[in-house]
């Protein structure tokens, strides 16, 4: 029905820095070649460990390896989907790369500039470019502020507009996300879940960002409302050329909205590829299991043999040795228990971190 | 086939061998309303459906459509006040549950009909051991001694494939993962060998890989124990893979009912059709870029239950609505064999 074949969408950006392995993050090793513009966002060797303290003297009792060496790139106008089960570190990744949480190690580059160690004030101009939409439209809006002031607040903070001009810009934002400008004086509790999520989107759009991190932005919504919000996000990308990091656990939603998809398991990225390749030709056993677990809403659909994983995700406090997935993997070998597989590019734009990738002929 | 069905129906009244096809639970004209200062919320407004023995019936709908309140009404667990079952009949093996005394009802709840809930975190008591909680129902309904009940608990945990069941009965809920807790809930619900299991969004709080495990387990146990299941969910994928018949609810009413394959092939209500169009489909979407196939939206939002439209409840959001829809609620009609829908314009739907 709607044909979307703008060149920027069909061939989004440059491919990921294929050779740089997680963990071995030599800064600059993944610098883009001269001539090609650097990707909008480039993250290398990103780690975030949360300390666990115990006792009277807050002795360090352990660390939660929430993000354990993540490499990502996002091109302008591109959507990168980040999927994984709860506790795999996908939300932490989103917050760390916005520097809402300080990373333990790794570098974050925006348009080629290293922002990893910038101070709060030096971060300001970058904050304008990078916004976030949260999962829960009930707790992410201040109940004591009117919808209009929630959306207008970023304009005030960044001293972009005030008074009548601010009101006009907020009204325009309201219209753009499908709310009526006369709803600006209402408070969050007067809106439905889907409408609240639209307020969150309008707030994120207020500063004309180039990147929006969506942390499960549609997970709390009913399906009919979810479709409205997904369509809105796609339209906004079309119109403003925004890049998204779309974090979600729902594979069908991620597949629908993303150009490329990264699959995360216990703090590491196990597979990155373009949308169609991931869903037709997964290489990592975890991706295969995830895909096969998703129920298909069609009783007549033929599916291959269903892969059902045994057990639960191990604790990120003591992640398994070698490949984190080896405790649940159906194809586990001795090598997997000792040696950590690195993310490697086996075909253009398709990376996998597995010693014995499925169906690629190299196993 | 026809003979079989006739025989099965007769069995429904006689206490013979339960055969597939005979009705075990039947709701008719159920109305559960909540009375508040702002007005009356018609959470369930004239819902009828039945459940056959050994069958899985899917009940699907969005939040606030009344699917959970219907289930709670079956077990008479509606908090009163503010809620009340104002009308209807709930027939379980021939007796109307709404006429039973509370004492009689207690013998049915958890014993003949049991329920598992969405939140395995909040539906277990955090200060009692797993074994204690499972044996509680066994001691109450099956009159076993404490130690025998504990043995039975271990056996139930083995049945739901929990490793080291003997050790686990002495542990507390917080020591288990979400998937494990849901297995414990299932073990508890099935411990008295109920004839009907009501599962209210049993996998919604779980990750997909765990969801697959739990659904597989439920179907395996159904096969083994012959339990009839009412599976309440908002996920059409789960319905497609587990249910044999489906009831679609919207704003307190049943708008469509059909065998599962029939429903997905030929939806007869615009709401069902809209729901199907609004889910992203991995198996069909082969476009190179996102949005190549655009999701269908159902415009607007679910109407407030305080203030329902006078005619068809779906009319404000329906693209096929006309004056007839605004004036009168459509009757639930058999549009195709075994396929009911409440819509004036089924023949106009563009599938």
């Amino acid at each position: 029905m709607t044909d979307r074949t703008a060149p920027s969408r069909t061939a989004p950006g440059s491919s990921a820095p294929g050779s740089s392995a997680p963990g071995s993050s030599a800064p600059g090793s993944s610098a883009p070649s001269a001539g090609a513009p650097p990707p909008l966002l480039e993250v290398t060797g990103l780690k975030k460990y949360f300390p666990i303290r115990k006792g009277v003297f807050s002795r360090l009792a352990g660390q939660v390896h929430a993000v354990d060496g993540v490499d990502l790139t996002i091109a302008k106008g591109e959507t990168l989907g980040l999927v994984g089960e709860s506790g795999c570190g996908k939300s932490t990744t989103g917050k760390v790369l916005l520097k809402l949480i300080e990373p333990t190690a790794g570098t974050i580059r925006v348009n080629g500039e290293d922002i990893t160690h910038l101070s709060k004030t030096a971060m300001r101009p970058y904050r304008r470019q990078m916004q976030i939409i949260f999962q829960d439209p009930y707790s992410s809006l201040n109940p004591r502020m009117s919808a209009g002031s929630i959306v207008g607040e970023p304009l005030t903070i960044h001293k972009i507009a005030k008074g009548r001009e601010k009101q006009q810009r907020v009204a325009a934002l309201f219209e753009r996300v499908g709310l009526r400008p006369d709803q600006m004086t209402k408070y969050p509790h007067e809106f439905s879940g889907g409408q609240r999520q639209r307020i969150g989107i309008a707030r994120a759009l207020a500063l004309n960002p180039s990147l929006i991190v969506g942390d499960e932005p549609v997970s709390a919504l009913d399906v009919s409302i979810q479709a409205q919000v997904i369509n809105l996000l796609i339209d906004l990308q079309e119109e403003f050329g925004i890049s998204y990091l779309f974090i979600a656990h729902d594979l069908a939603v991620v597949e629908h909205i993303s150009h490329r998809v990264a699959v995360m398991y216990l703090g590491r990225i196990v597979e990155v590829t373009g949308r169609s390749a991931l869903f037709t030709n997964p290489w990592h056993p975890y991706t295969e299991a995830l895909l096969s677990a998703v129920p298909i809403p069609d009783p007549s659909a033929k599916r291959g043999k269903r892969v059902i994983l045994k057990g639960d995700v191990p604790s990120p406090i003591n992640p398994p040795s070698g490949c984190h997935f080896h405790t649940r993997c159906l194809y586990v070998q001795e090598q997997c228990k000792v040696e950590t597989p690195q993310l490697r590019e086996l075909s253009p734009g398709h990376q996998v971190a597995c010693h014995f990738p499925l169906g690629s002929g190299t196993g | 086939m026809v003979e079989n069905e006739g025989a099965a129906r007769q069995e429904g009244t006689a206490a013979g061998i339960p055969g597939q096809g005979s009705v075990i639970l039947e709701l008719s004209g159920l109305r559960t309303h909540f009375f508040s200062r702002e007005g009356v919320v018609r959470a369930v407004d004239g819902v009828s459906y039945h459940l056959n023995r050994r069958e899985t019936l899917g009940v699907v709908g969005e939040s606030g459509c009344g699917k959970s309140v219907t289930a709670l009404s079956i077990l008479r667990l509606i908090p009163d006040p503010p809620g009340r079952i104002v009308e209807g009949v709930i027939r379980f093996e021939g007796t109307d549950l709404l006429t039973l005394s509370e004492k009689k009802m207690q013998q049915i709840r958890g014993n003949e009909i049991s329920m598992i809930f969405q939140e395995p975190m909040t539906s277990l008591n955090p200060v009692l051991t797993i074994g204690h909680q499972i044996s509680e129902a066994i001691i109450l309904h099956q009159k076993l001694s404490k130690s025998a009940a504990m043995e039975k608990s271990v056996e139930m945990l083995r049945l739901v494939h929990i490793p080291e069941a003997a050790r686990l009965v002495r542990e507390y809920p917080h020591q288990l993962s979400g998937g494990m807790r849901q297995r414990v809930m299932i073990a508890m619900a099935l411990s008295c060998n109920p004839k009907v299991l009501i599962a209210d969004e049993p996998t919604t709080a779980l990750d997909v890989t765990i969801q697959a495990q739990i659904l597989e387990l439920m179907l395996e146990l159904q096969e083994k124990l012959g339990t009839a299941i009412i599976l309440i969910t908002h996920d059409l994928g789960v319905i497609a893979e587990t249910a044999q018949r489906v009831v679609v609810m919207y704003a307190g009413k049943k708008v469509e009912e059909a065998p599962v394959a029939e429903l997905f092939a030929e939806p007869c209500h615009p709401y069902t059709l809209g729901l199907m169009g609004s889910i992203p489909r991995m198996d069909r979407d082969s476009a190179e870029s996102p949005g190549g196939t655009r999701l269908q939206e159902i415009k607007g939002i679910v109407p407030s239950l305080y203030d329902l439209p006078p005619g068809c409840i779906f009319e404000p959001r329906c693209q096929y609505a006309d004056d007839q829809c605004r004036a009168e609620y459509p009757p639930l009609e058999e549009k195709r064999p075994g396929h009911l829908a409440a819509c004036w314009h089924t023949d106009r739907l563009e599938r």
Side-chain angles (χ1 to χ4, degrees):
Chain A
M1 189 167 66
T2 40
D3 194 11
R4 295 156 189 279
T5 42
S8 65
R9 294 187 64 87
T10 44
S14 53
S15 69
S19 54
S20 78
S24 68
S25 61
S29 69
S30 53
S33 57
L40 175 68
L41 180 85
E42 186 176 7
V43 173
T44 30
L46 193 70
K47 289 186 184 178
K48 179 66 201 177
Y49 295 166
F50 292 103
I52 304 166
R53 297 188 185 280
K54 275 191 177 155
V56 192
F57 300 104
S58 299
R59 175 176 52 86
L60 191 66
Q63 281 181 321
V64 179
H65 299 62
V67 180
D68 203 7
V70 160
D71 295 352
L72 289 177
T73 51
I74 301 177
K76 187 171 161 30
E78 180 190 45
T79 303
L80 176 69
L82 188 59
V83 272
E85 296 181 278
S86 34
C88 74
K90 54 191 193 301
S91 288
T92 309
T93 306
K95 284 178 185 156
V96 170
L97 61 83
L98 291 177
K99 294 231 307 156
L100 295 175
I101 306 174
E102 286 297 317
T104 309
T107 49
I108 306 160
R109 284 166 206 275
V110 176
N111 287 323
E113 311 219 13
D114 191 342
I115 63 159
T116 323
H117 303 292
L118 291 187
S119 68
K120 263 194 168 165
T121 26
M123 258 313 278
R124 272 242 164 140
Y126 294 99
R127 292 246 179 268
R128 276 181 66 175
Q129 288 185 40
M130 299 152 75
Q131 292 291 320
I132 186 164
I133 307 168
F134 295 97
Q135 169 173 9
D136 186 354
Y138 293 85
S139 61
S140 60
L141 303 176
N142 187 338
R144 296 174 188 223
M145 284 169 76
S146 69
S149 35
I150 289 172
V151 175
E153 198 181 21
L155 297 171
T156 314
I157 291 174
H158 288 270
K159 301 192 178 68
I160 288 171
K162 55 183 177 187
R164 175 165 295 198
E165 196 202 336
K166 184 174 112 181
Q167 291 304 314
Q168 282 168 354
R169 290 182 76 147
V170 172
L173 284 164
F174 263 62
E175 278 184 356
R176 187 59 203 88
V177 299
L179 296 166
R180 291 193 315 274
D182 63 86
Q183 291 173 311
M184 280 162 61
T185 51
K186 289 192 171 181
Y187 286 83
H189 73 269
E190 296 175 82
F191 293 92
S192 68
Q195 287 175 322
R196 282 183 222 212
Q197 208 56 309
R198 288 173 194 268
I199 296 174
I201 293 170
R203 172 174 63 184
L205 280 178
L207 297 170
N208 283 326
S210 39
L211 172 73
I212 295 181
V213 173
D215 188 1
E216 305 256 15
V218 298
S219 310
L221 307 175
D222 274 320
V223 275
S224 69
I225 308 297
Q226 181 174 302
Q228 295 173 358
V229 174
I230 292 172
N231 285 343
L232 173 66
L233 287 171
I234 293 178
D235 290 344
L236 291 172
Q237 179 168 61
E238 192 111 304
E239 194 173 331
F240 301 112
I242 310 168
S243 306
Y244 293 125
L245 175 68
F246 192 92
I247 301 170
H249 66 276
D250 187 329
L251 277 108
V253 168
V254 168
E255 192 257 6
H256 186 81
I257 204 168
S258 308
H259 295 93
R260 290 190 302 131
V261 179
V263 182
M264 209 167 164
Y265 186 77
L266 269 187
R268 290 180 189 161
I269 289 192
V270 297
E271 186 160 2
V272 189
T273 182
R275 64 201 308 261
S276 45
L278 187 77
F279 291 92
T280 53
N281 181 23
W283 282 348
H284 200 282
Y286 179 60
T287 316
E288 181 199 45
L290 263 189
L291 289 171
S292 129
V294 179
I296 294 176
D298 183 357
S300 61
K302 292 184 195 79
R303 69 152 76 235
K305 143 188 96 93
R306 183 159 222 175
V307 188
I308 292 189
L309 290 181
K310 297 268 178 299
D312 292 312
V313 182
S315 157
I317 299 172
N318 274 314
S321 61
C323 174
H324 282 351
F325 186 59
H326 85 249
T327 52
R328 297 173 83 196
C329 185
L330 296 174
Y331 315 99
V332 62
Q333 312 249 354
E334 273 313 305
Q335 190 190 354
C336 307
K337 296 176 186 165
V338 269
E339 200 182 316
T340 305
Q342 306 294 351
L343 200 62
R344 56 201 166 116
E345 192 159 16
L346 292 184
S347 80
H350 193 163
Q351 296 168 281
V352 66
C354 180
H355 294 304
F356 307 100
L358 305 164
S360 62
T362 55
Chain B
M1 192 63 213
V2 180
E3 271 178 34
N4 266 347
E5 262 187 39
R9 233 172 252 142
Q10 279 172 0
E11 274 170 22
T13 45
I17 317 122
Q20 190 153 17
S22 65
V23 175
I24 185 160
L25 182 73
E26 189 176 8
L27 319 184
S28 55
L30 182 73
R31 284 179 210 277
T32 306
H33 293 179
F34 289 84
F35 300 87
S36 73
R37 253 181 304 179
E38 286 81 26
V40 181
V41 177
R42 296 185 168 80
V44 179
D45 203 16
V47 168
S48 310
Y49 59 70
H50 69 276
L51 176 71
N52 295 324
R53 285 176 199 274
R54 295 179 159 267
E55 176 191 47
T56 304
L57 174 73
V59 178
V60 70
E62 296 180 282
S63 24
C65 73
K67 53 193 194 300
S68 296
V69 175
T70 311
L72 291 173
S73 303
I74 296 173
L75 287 171
R76 292 195 17 212
L77 288 172
I78 299 292
D80 178 13
R84 208 166 65 225
I85 299 171
V86 290
E87 213 185 301
V89 176
I90 299 173
R91 210 174 288 284
F92 172 70
E93 295 197 306
T95 38
D96 183 1
L97 295 183
L98 297 180
T99 59
L100 292 184
S101 66
E102 180 55 31
K103 199 165 172 216
K104 276 266 166 57
M105 198 59 216
Q106 278 173 8
Q107 288 166 9
I108 287 182
R109 230 181 261 142
N111 193 26
E112 306 268 357
I113 307 177
S114 63
M115 183 156 180
I116 46 182
F117 299 89
Q118 171 174 1
E119 281 289 332
M121 321 288 159
T122 51
S123 36
L124 287 169
N125 188 333
V127 297
L128 298 177
T129 60
I130 301 292
H132 187 119
Q133 298 188 52
I134 301 177
S135 45
E136 201 179 332
I138 303 174
I139 295 169
L140 185 73
H141 292 299
Q142 308 206 327
K143 314 275 183 280
L144 290 182
S145 73
K146 229 176 172 178
S147 57
M150 204 52 111
E151 259 169 53
K152 170 98 193 200
S153 304
V154 175
E155 190 189 308
M156 288 312 297
L157 289 178
R158 289 212 179 96
L159 190 71
V160 296
H161 306 300
I162 286 185
E164 298 182 74
R167 180 178 61 84
L168 204 108
V169 288
R170 290 193 301 273
E171 298 205 336
Y172 291 87
H174 74 268
Q175 290 165 296
L176 306 181
S177 68
M180 281 298 186
R181 282 181 230 195
Q182 201 58 293
R183 281 173 195 265
V184 169
M185 289 301 295
I186 294 173
M188 198 184 289
L190 295 179
S191 61
C192 296
N193 212 351
K195 292 176 182 135
V196 175
L197 175 68
I198 303 174
D200 188 0
E201 305 262 11
T203 58
T204 307
L206 307 174
D207 281 316
V208 273
T209 58
I210 310 296
Q211 165 170 295
Q213 292 173 359
I214 297 290
L215 291 177
E216 191 194 48
L217 173 72
M218 282 176 56
L219 295 184
E220 178 202 319
L221 293 178
Q222 178 175 39
E223 188 90 340
K224 215 182 261 177
L225 308 172
T227 322
I229 298 179
I230 299 181
L231 180 70
I232 300 171
T233 177
H234 68 278
D235 188 333
L236 282 171
V238 170
I239 291 279
E241 296 199 350
T242 48
Q244 280 116 42
R245 267 185 326 121
V246 189
V247 166
V248 183
M249 286 186 68
Y250 183 78
K253 287 193 160 71
K254 175 171 92 174
V255 294
E256 187 159 4
E257 179 186 328
V260 69
E262 162 82 19
L263 183 86
F264 281 85
E266 299 275 339
C268 287
H269 195 282
Y271 175 64
T272 316
L273 187 66
L275 269 188
M276 288 174 184
S278 59
I279 355 174
R281 292 285 299 268
M282 286 196 309
D283 54 329
R284 290 205 185 144
D285 191 351
S286 57
E288 270 302 307
S289 64
T293 44
R294 198 172 167 81
L295 292 181
Q296 236 180 67
E297 296 175 13
I298 304 179
K299 62 177 184 192
I301 53 170
V302 181
S304 156
L305 294 175
Y306 287 117
D307 187 20
L308 289 174
C312 173
I313 39 169
F314 189 59
E315 173 271 313
R317 303 179 75 188
C318 183
Q319 53 173 322
Y320 304 98
D322 61 11
D323 287 340
Q324 189 181 16
C325 307
R326 278 180 275 275
E328 208 183 334
Y329 189 79
L332 201 64
E333 289 172 335
E334 189 160 18
K335 304 283 180 184
R336 298 157 58 87
H339 191 154
L340 304 172
C343 179
W344 292 115
H345 301 307
T346 296
D347 46 331
R348 287 195 210 159
L349 300 193
E350 291 162 25
R351 299 190 184 95

